Amino acid sequence: MADPADRALAALGPGRDAAARRRHADNLAGLLRAMAAHGRERDDPVRTVPALLGDRWSSLVMNLLAGGMLRHGELRRLIGAVSSEGGISQRMLTLKLRLLERDGLVARGITAETPPRVEYALTALGAEAHAHYLALLRWTEAATPAIRAARAAFDAGNGPGPRAG
Amino acid sequence: MADPADRALAALGPGRDAAARRRHADNLAGLLRAMAAHGRERDDPVRTVPALLGDRWSSLVMNLLAGGMLRHGELRRLIGAVSSEGGISQRMLTLKLRLLERDGLVARGITAETPPRVEYALTALGAEAHAHYLALLRWTEAATPAIRAARAAFDAGNGPGPRAG
DNA sequence: CTGTATCCAAAATGATACTG
DNA sequence: CAGTATCATTTTGGATACAG
């Protein structure tokens, strides 16, 4: 009764049958083990990496770098040309590139030419992360009709207010 | 020369060789085709679904619902017990549940008992989305040592300021 | 060209009080 | 118990000016 999963399980209402409680107990145990294994801090990779896929620019940056190394200005212009929702600000691009670089997903290098050029490229780790993004994207593309249908149904029948099921 | 990929390609600097330009052209063509196929709007599924995995609560909610249906209050208490970074506010939980419900990833139902109980459960679509989250999570867990090492290296050697490569 | 600093706007989240 | 409304706070993103 002293272990965390049991304590968490106390959050369940009394209306649960034994099978449901067991299912939730297993699920909670897994969650708590995962939380204990890697940190719960805000900047832990298990939080920041999924966040990359959700933020406005990181996945697009990785997408463009998947085509080969690019300079800061090239990235900025390409994003402006592709995103069609207003380009990225110089500040944000620098910020996102730093974050990606810090996590080892993007590499920054200066060529030996004159004048020197600052180039960004995906690392092997970054390519793997990007592959996961592409997998999710493909699923989402396939699921989009179903999602749109769900939205239409929700917006039609279930307005605001306390709905009666 | 009038097609969008060619126009976007103009963002590339003059220093690119033919092979690099071809690679980027292919990459850009794919991106632009995808952008044209589904919308670029902020609430398009291809944007909101990846955002779900990145926001602070949605994936956790799906994770808990993966253990079986749960009530609003149960979810709230379980999140408080598991998240250990402060629980979710009632408002945010309602908001996130509505969003998930609207996209057809979570189903809301009222049981026929007395008193009636409002229950939330993962839909088949939601279970698929959650599976993608788990896949990404597993990869991130495996990659965490590499990411931590990259962060340590970055924080050590490359301070702020114009770094000399 | 790359990058930083500063200030500002918008969005996400939380706290609290309230309704049915 | 489920849900809404309102307000404060935090986070994220953008505009602009500036430095090397």
Side-chain angles (χ1 to χ4, degrees), chain B:
Chain B
M1 200 55 89
D3 101 90
D6 282 336
R7 263 182 283 124
L9 209 55
L12 252 57
R16 304 288 165 195
D17 64 27
R21 296 188 73 86
R22 224 174 305 121
R23 241 188 6 255
H24 280 295
D26 289 349
N27 196 36
L28 284 168
L31 277 177
L32 290 164
R33 203 175 325 115
M35 297 288 287
H38 33 264
R40 324 118 194 84
E41 291 85 37
R42 206 56 163 280
D43 74 327
D44 191 275
V46 295
R47 302 187 83 90
T48 62
V49 170
L52 286 183
L53 304 200
D55 84 22
R56 204 163 163 191
W57 304 116
S58 299
S59 56
L60 180 53
V61 167
M62 289 194 284
N63 226 320
L64 289 169
L65 290 181
M69 52 168 49
L70 289 169
R71 306 187 65 181
H72 182 105
E74 289 175 331
L75 265 172
R76 197 148 125 74
R77 283 188 299 271
L78 284 171
I79 289 173
V82 156
S83 115
S84 77
E85 74 162 298
I88 186 175
S89 64
Q90 196 183 34
R91 167 188 148 79
M92 281 312 296
L93 180 54
T94 299
L95 233 55
K96 293 304 181 185
L97 283 172
R98 284 295 167 280
L99 245 24
L100 291 168
E101 186 192 358
R102 188 170 111 93
D103 280 4
L105 305 180
V106 159
R108 174 188 187 268
I110 303 191
T111 66
E113 310 164 15
T114 49
R117 300 156 63 93
V118 180
E119 300 265 9
Y120 294 91
L122 269 191
T123 63
L125 207 60
E128 287 181 27
H130 181 240
H132 276 272
Y133 171 72
L134 287 183
L136 177 64
L137 188 63
R138 279 193 297 270
W139 177 82
T140 306
E141 286 177 358
T144 289
I147 294 174
R148 284 200 204 281
R151 286 184 184 180
F154 182 91
D155 292 346
N158 310 315
R163 291 159 292 148

Side-chain angles (χ1 to χ4, degrees), chain A residues 40-72:
Chain A
R40 322 118 193 85
E41 290 85 36
R42 205 59 162 277
D43 73 328
D44 190 273
V46 295
R47 301 188 82 90
T48 62
V49 169
L52 286 183
L53 306 199
D55 84 20
R56 205 162 162 188
W57 303 117
S58 299
S59 56
L60 180 53
V61 167
M62 288 194 284
N63 225 323
L64 289 169
L65 290 181
M69 52 167 49
L70 289 168
R71 307 187 63 181
H72 182 105

